[in-house]
Amino acid sequence: MNTIGHLINGEVCTDSERTQDVFNPATGLATRKVALASVETVEQAISCAEAAFPAWRNTPAIKRARVMFRFKALLEANADKICQMIGEEHGKISHDAAGELQRGIENVEYACGAPELLKGEHSKNVGSNVDSWSEFQPLGVVAGITPFNFPAMVPLWMFPMAIACGNCFILKPSERDPSSTLFIAQLLKEAGLPDGVMNVVNGDKVAVDVLLSDERIKAVSFVGSTPIAEYIYSTASANGKRCQALGGAKNHAIIMPDADMGNVVSQLLGAAFGSSGERCMALSVAVAVGDDAGDALVESMAEAMSDLKVGAYSDSSNDFGPVITAQHRDKVVGYINHAEEQGATIVVDGRSPEVEGFSNGFFVGGTLIDNVTPDMVSYKEEIFGPVLQVVRVNTMQEAMELIDNHEYGNGTCIFTRDGEAARYFSDNIKVGMVGINVPLPVPVAYHSFGGWKRSLFGDLHAYGPDAVRFYTKRKTITQRWPSSGIREGAEFSMPTMN
């Protein structure tokens, strides 16, 4: 069985002491192994990155950008291969994998603008013969720790901009689906990136803790569950590192009485069940304002869900695939059981889907649950599966209070024809990313991604303009060249512009 290794200083290497099985979630079979990095392996990667930093830091921004241009072309040329790797290890249907990769490529495109993004600011004659300017300098060696659900896109949120800004990077991807991430990193070498600038260490908590504690790592980016995000942020911060840690979500959609129900249903189908609900921006709660809206929503959703197809990644006619592991499948089913036991109504039951030819796969079918209340376990916690819950309220204000009171504040949306209601909602809701008749309000690459409350730990969001600020430090330089032959007296007062 093939063992997936690490990429250190431009070469693939493998630890032999500890490995873990990598499964095809559609078949339930282990198809590869992945090496789990030792402390020594991670330290070697950091040392190589540290050695590569001085030369890369001093490489002109335009030359760093040219590597990204070539990298973008290689990603596009190898898209089919990358999507196949994602499908085989994550289970994502081919069209969904292609969409993930494209969103990642858009972040590479943004990083190609590094010469413009890093220009800084300049002011002439802030005082007599005094000029002042600010510039953005790289931090050094930085790290990214990424989740299983987007093995291509989320790493591409991080390392292209970090590298374009002049840093060297250590990536610790998910050990559940590492092949596509490693292959993408190898394409950077093919694009002309010097050895040591980009390194990949596969592993578990052993590798993570080295990245969080080693003083040579200057910043850490993380995407994953909230408990782990909180641990990453607190540990990295305690060790003097800059950190952004994106956590979990419970994304609500408010369905107003005036909403176009046909559009609502078609939008919710993709937003709730796409990628098997394994998205931090998945819409998992529909909040119907009024019983008329609730009845119409449940009836229309149940009818539309009868056409949902769950199956293997290789059949592009499928709507979504399996969840990542057998353990996660059981966890999702457990949430459905909890909802039923606590009095909710299972309208469409996906606990035992039949997928012809894949009886051992980790499948959960699309599930619709009505009459959910905020005290239920399934409402409070992030399910991360193909489950849509319906909560009924009487007013828009009640719906907004429901959202504001939840511990997560990642994404939300409202379906309405009323511009006043939409404007009030977007202006006042306590959530970081808001959609108006848009169920997955994921910002484009030249904006930034991040939630509020316990969905984000740290001040700066992911990718976009915030990424430039996260992966650089501002230096302000004030310069004076006195006129020749003029001797100036000492000044003991604070310099002012008076």
Side-chain angles (χ1 to χ4, degrees):
M1 189 179 294
N2 180 42
T3 299
I4 302 157
H6 321 291
L7 181 69
I8 299 176
N9 206 34
E11 301 295 331
V12 176
C13 58
T14 303
D15 286 284
S16 57
E17 293 182 4
R18 294 192 307 136
T19 61
Q20 178 175 304
D21 287 339
V22 177
F23 289 85
N24 181 332
T27 64
L29 299 176
T31 56
R32 301 177 180 90
K33 290 184 178 294
V34 61
L36 302 178
S38 63
V39 170
E40 293 75 19
T41 297
V42 182
E43 289 177 342
Q44 179 190 358
I46 297 171
S47 295
C48 292
E50 186 180 40
F53 175 63
W56 185 244
R57 175 191 190 275
N58 291 315
T59 299
I62 187 63
K63 292 187 176 181
R64 299 197 298 254
R66 286 171 185 158
V67 173
M68 290 300 149
F69 276 111
R70 293 190 291 269
F71 179 49
K72 172 185 178 292
L74 287 169
L75 288 171
E76 292 170 336
N78 289 275
D80 289 345
K81 183 175 182 179
I82 294 168
C83 291
Q84 181 177 348
M85 291 178 176
I86 294 171
E88 289 175 348
E89 294 182 354
H90 175 277
K92 194 169 292 186
I93 307 304
S94 55
H95 53 75
D96 192 15
E100 170 188 346
L101 180 59
Q102 179 57 38
R103 289 303 295 262
I105 289 173
E106 289 166 9
N107 284 275
V108 180
E109 291 174 335
Y110 186 68
C112 289
E116 174 69 21
L117 298 169
L118 296 171
K119 279 199 308 188
E121 303 152 347
H122 185 273
S123 295
K124 186 175 182 179
N125 281 338
V126 296
S128 180
N129 297 317
V130 177
D131 303 328
S132 186
W133 69 91
S134 295
E135 56 190 46
F136 302 106
Q137 297 188 347
L139 303 178
V141 182
V142 299
I145 302 165
T146 56
F148 73 84
N149 58 325
F150 287 103
M153 184 183 73
V154 172
L156 290 170
W157 284 2
M158 299 177 185
F159 67 77
M161 183 55 72
I163 289 170
C165 287
N167 300 284
C168 293
F169 204 89
I170 311 291
L171 177 63
K172 206 300 287 185
S174 172
E175 63 275 22
R176 296 175 182 173
D177 47 4
S179 291
S180 62
T181 313
L182 181 65
F183 178 71
I184 287 171
Q186 290 175 289
L187 292 180
L188 261 175
K189 178 181 172 70
E190 189 176 339
L193 190 73
D195 291 344
V197 177
M198 175 67 184
N199 304 272
V200 179
V201 289
N202 288 300
D204 52 12
K205 190 174 183 294
V206 171
V208 168
D209 284 344
V210 176
L211 297 176
L212 296 179
S213 61
D214 194 300
E215 64 181 12
R216 294 172 293 178
I217 300 291
K218 304 304 180 186
V220 177
S221 301
F222 171 81
V223 177
S225 68
T226 285
I228 305 302
E230 193 166 26
Y231 170 77
I232 295 287
Y233 183 77
S234 61
T235 307
S237 299
N239 283 291
K241 304 181 192 307
R242 183 178 292 181
C243 186
Q244 57 179 188
L246 282 69
K250 196 72 174 184
N251 304 317
H252 301 68
I254 294 181
I255 318 300
M256 294 295 286
D258 68 337
D260 179 338
M261 195 57 68
N263 180 59
V264 169
V265 169
S266 62
Q267 295 293 310
L268 286 181
L269 282 172
F273 306 120
S275 200
S276 301
E278 292 177 321
R279 295 170 174 161
C280 68
M281 287 295 282
L283 266 176
S284 56
V285 181
V287 186
V289 178
D291 279 335
D292 289 346
D295 292 343
L297 173 66
V298 170
E299 181 181 353
S300 299
M301 280 296 299
E303 181 179 352
M305 288 173 64
S306 64
D307 294 327
L308 285 177
K309 288 185 63 180
V310 57
Y313 79 93
S314 53
D315 184 350
S316 61
S317 69
N318 288 325
D319 296 304
F320 59 94
V323 296
I324 188 68
T325 63
Q327 293 80 4
H328 189 59
R329 175 197 59 202
D330 296 342
K331 184 178 179 180
V332 173
V333 170
Y335 280 120
I336 300 171
N337 293 340
H338 270 299
E340 186 174 41
E341 291 163 4
Q342 293 184 296
T345 305
I346 311 299
V347 180
V348 179
D349 193 340
R351 285 175 284 192
S352 300
E354 293 184 7
V355 182
E356 186 176 352
F358 295 92
S359 59
N360 294 319
F362 311 140
F363 293 98
V364 181
T367 300
L368 178 64
I369 308 176
D370 193 11
N371 299 310
V372 173
T373 57
D375 60 320
M376 293 181 179
V377 173
S378 63
Y379 174 80
K380 293 178 182 179
E381 299 183 15
E382 184 178 31
I383 296 177
F384 223 59
V387 180
L388 177 64
Q389 300 182 95
V390 178
V391 177
R392 297 172 181 244
V393 297
N394 295 317
T395 66
M396 175 179 166
Q397 195 63 44
E398 189 181 342
M400 290 179 65
E401 289 172 1
L402 191 75
I403 297 169
D404 287 345
N405 289 336
H406 203 284
E407 65 172 323
Y408 297 131
N410 207 46
T412 188
C413 79
I414 186 171
F415 289 98
T416 184
R417 292 186 175 96
D418 186 335
E420 181 182 6
R423 192 171 190 273
Y424 179 84
F425 175 77
S426 61
D427 192 40
N428 290 281
I429 200 71
K430 295 181 177 66
V431 174
M433 292 172 282
V434 180
I436 299 169
N437 299 315
V438 175
L440 291 173
V442 179
V444 293
Y446 40 91
H447 287 269
S448 294
F449 179 106
W452 287 11
K453 297 182 284 189
R454 287 176 58 76
S455 290
L456 173 68
F457 299 87
D459 296 325
L460 292 170
H461 290 196
Y463 68 78
D466 272 15
V468 181
R469 300 295 181 264
F470 184 79
Y471 291 119
T472 61
K473 52 190 172 186
R474 180 189 294 264
K475 179 180 286 185
T476 302
I477 302 164
T478 304
Q479 171 179 276
R480 184 178 190 184
W481 294 104
S483 299
S484 177
I486 298 177
R487 182 178 180 85
E488 299 176 347
E491 294 184 8
F492 297 95
S493 300
M494 184 69 188
T496 71
M497 291 298 294
N498 290 333

